[in-house]
Amino acid sequence: MALDLQGLQHLQRHQLVRLTPEGWAGVQSGDREPRAQAALAHWAAHDLPLVVTRQRVDDGEQIALGLPAPTCWGRLRLALSVPAVALRDPHGFPEPTAITPLLAPPVRAAWTTLADRLAALGVAPQVYGSHGWQMITGLAYLREGSDLDLWLPIQDAAQADAAAALLDDANWRGPRLDGEIGLPDGSAVAWREWRLWRAGRADAVLVKHRTGVRLEQGSQWLSRN
């Protein structure tokens, strides 16, 4: 189902979308290297999603999307600009329980416990990065040392503090936990940076927005959320 105007206005980083057949025809028509063409052909043939990335302010009805290719295509990162009318089926990355089979058996129970503790805080994380893409596509993304990237949508600063503290204090022996806190206005902060900033160990924090980034000092900007 194609996105309506309201849906387009609410697209944010780390959301996934699929393309219409016309959309796939358009992105495959460009002159790209063979590995990139092969990755795009596979995505189109299997109706795999693309991820919403940082948008250009002056792109009008074009939406910036990304395709991070797996190991078999050299881990290329393809940047695509697609007409808004070619987008459909917006959705999110996998929930934590979905990626449990990708984790080593000794840490699966601890992962479930960590996900449950986040849920108890009212936080419903999604797993992006290598773990998320491998779960979505069935292709090999993971390698030794791959982080486990979490998108943590929160409602306010107190909830962000609690989620960041939980991850920071977790007795976790699995992949390094990384990722971002997603604020109500669609902006985001790396949870580790948030933790340092809120503890007074950093003078400013880098806030990522739909169309750019901004270094924020003080806490006045939080009142906009």
Side-chain angles (χ1 to χ4, degrees):
M1 181 177 179
L3 288 171
D4 58 19
L5 180 60
Q6 185 176 13
L8 289 170
Q9 291 173 339
H10 286 87
L11 281 179
Q12 299 292 343
R13 294 171 55 252
H14 297 311
Q15 276 193 278
L16 299 173
V17 293
R18 288 185 167 86
L19 300 187
T20 63
E22 295 79 11
W24 279 120
V27 298
Q28 291 184 88
S29 64
D31 184 18
R32 293 185 174 86
E33 65 166 289
R35 289 183 304 173
Q37 290 285 21
L40 287 169
H42 181 89
W43 250 247
H46 294 82
D47 193 26
L48 293 172
L50 301 169
V51 64
V52 178
T53 57
R54 188 179 303 158
Q55 303 299 302
R56 294 180 181 272
V57 176
D58 58 353
D59 259 5
E61 295 184 355
Q62 294 289 118
I63 303 296
L65 303 175
L67 190 167
T71 304
C72 61
W73 290 303
R75 304 179 72 86
L76 294 172
R77 292 187 174 273
L78 304 181
L80 308 171
S81 183
V82 179
V85 294
L87 273 56
R88 62 181 182 83
D89 186 26
H91 58 290
F93 276 94
E95 297 178 354
T97 53
I99 66 100
T100 302
L102 300 181
L103 300 176
V107 300
R108 289 177 182 173
W111 173 243
T112 300
T113 299
L114 185 58
D116 288 345
R117 293 181 68 188
L118 285 168
L121 296 176
V123 179
Q126 297 172 14
V127 182
Y128 65 104
S130 295
H131 288 82
W133 281 109
Q134 184 156 319
M135 197 68 222
I136 290 168
T137 66
L139 300 171
Y141 280 81
L142 294 173
R143 54 185 174 178
E144 186 175 357
S146 289
D147 290 345
L148 207 169
D149 296 302
L150 297 175
W151 172 253
L152 303 158
I154 59 89
Q155 297 302 313
D156 53 38
Q159 192 181 41
D161 289 339
L166 176 59
L167 295 178
D168 201 23
D169 298 338
N171 184 20
W172 170 247
R173 301 184 184 278
R176 178 179 179 272
L177 297 173
D178 207 354
E180 298 179 356
I181 289 168
L183 299 164
D185 70 345
S187 61
V189 177
W191 74 261
R192 291 178 181 277
E193 294 181 21
W194 174 276
R195 180 81 164 143
L196 290 173
W197 174 65
R198 294 286 279 182
R201 288 182 282 168
D203 294 330
V205 65
L206 189 68
V207 182
K208 302 174 184 179
H209 299 270
R210 190 174 188 267
T211 57
V213 298
R214 186 166 62 242
L215 195 63
E216 296 283 5
Q217 295 181 317
S219 58
Q220 294 86 352
W221 64 277
L222 283 174
S223 64
R224 300 194 293 268
N225 284 281

